Amino acid sequence: MTTGSLRRRAVAAAALAMSGLLALSACGGDSGDDSATGTKVPGVKLVSSGKLKTCTNLPYPPFQYEEGGKVVGFDVDMIDLVAKKLGVTQEIVNIDFDVIKSGAALNANRCDVAAAGMTITDERKQNLGFSRPYFPEVLGLLVKKGAGITSVDDVKAKNAKLGVQADTTSQDYAKSKGIAGARQYKDSGKQLLALQSGAIDVVLQDLPVVNGWLKKPEVSGKFELAAEIPTGAQYGFAVKKTGSEELLKVINETITSAIQDGTWKATYKKWVGSDPKTMPAEG
């Protein structure tokens, strides 16, 4: 036998051994997860294996905000339920709301799901795949005590300076009532600071957010809820318009189960501080 033949046989044996190891690696250690995504649900594709990345815009209490060094809130708890069903952990990605509602963040694989107290609208449906509704929308009008303002019509009549969060349905509602010059703020925290500093006279914001502010003595001592405005709209979680159908199915199943078994109601009371007056509409 020549030296060349020995070398060829050695190489062949090594290749055979390597292929055997690869086969064992592919078959062994099966924990029931989908090998492509690291989830318990086959077909669900995630940006990062083993993580459910959630795009949101902080702060937006009681839906999501920082407390004790971590992000907490109603939306966080609901998406944690989705992550649990998938067998992964949730990771929060904080970005501007306009990048979320346009679908740009999801399309750029910044996250798998958007959860930001986001109202389902026809315009947003053009860029996003929405879940079934999970929260009914009611707006709140926050004013200085004794201002004599009890409606958005009063805001217009008194030529009061109104502040809204940019790119939200509050801004759209103000425009629909003839207030085109409302001051816009990137997040709810800046909106509240503007009211406290006197830069604006009135805030129009989602009612749960306003109620959260009023739990603070420095807010409730000077300001009051002037009006509750049910819009008939609903909030939804969002995924990519195409390509995330299996993830959306899991999200919808999770919301429905939470409503049916009482988890949704308990979560609402935990973060809003009262029993819900209405439940989410059927999708």
Side-chain angles (χ1 to χ4, degrees), residues 226-258:
E228 296 183 19
I229 308 167
T231 67
Q234 302 276 330
Y235 299 159
F237 299 124
V239 297
K240 280 184 179 180
K241 183 73 174 174
T242 58
S244 294
E245 290 81 6
E246 291 302 317
L247 174 58
L248 188 59
K249 182 179 178 182
V250 174
I251 293 171
N252 285 334
E253 290 173 351
T254 302
I255 296 170
T256 299
S257 294

Side-chain angles (χ1 to χ4, degrees), residues 72-228:
V72 298
F74 184 94
D75 283 3
V76 178
D77 280 4
M78 293 299 293
I79 297 299
D80 271 344
L81 294 176
V82 177
K84 183 178 181 180
K85 191 165 186 175
L86 294 172
V88 300
T89 57
Q90 180 180 186
E91 180 179 302
I92 304 293
V93 180
N94 182 31
I95 58 176
D96 286 345
F97 185 70
D98 58 344
V99 183
I100 296 175
K101 73 159 193 169
S102 68
L106 289 161
N107 292 334
N109 291 326
R110 294 286 302 278
C111 47
D112 303 291
V113 58
M118 182 163 54
T119 308
I120 302 169
T121 68
D122 289 337
E123 179 184 0
R124 292 172 185 173
K125 283 181 180 179
Q126 300 300 312
N127 303 313
L128 300 166
F130 274 103
S131 70
R132 58 152 295 170
Y134 76 92
F135 203 100
E137 181 184 66
V138 180
L139 303 180
L141 198 66
L142 187 64
V143 304
K144 191 172 182 179
K145 288 184 175 181
I149 293 174
T150 60
S151 68
V152 175
D153 289 334
D154 287 343
V155 174
K156 184 178 179 182
K158 291 177 178 288
N159 199 29
K161 291 176 287 187
L162 176 67
V164 298
Q165 185 169 346
D167 304 306
T168 65
T169 48
S170 294
Q171 180 181 344
D172 295 338
Y173 184 84
K175 286 182 179 179
S176 74
K177 302 296 284 187
I179 305 175
R183 299 193 183 186
Q184 301 175 34
Y185 298 90
K186 279 288 185 182
D187 60 59
S188 62
K190 291 183 175 64
Q191 190 182 16
L192 176 59
L193 286 173
L195 179 66
Q196 291 175 309
S197 69
I200 54 178
D201 304 310
V202 188
V203 156
L204 184 63
Q205 179 57 272
D206 289 5
L207 180 61
V209 177
V210 173
N211 284 339
W213 289 340
L214 287 170
K215 292 178 182 178
K216 303 175 182 179
E218 65 271 24
V219 177
S220 60
K222 297 180 179 179
F223 304 96
E224 62 184 354
L225 179 65
E228 296 183 19

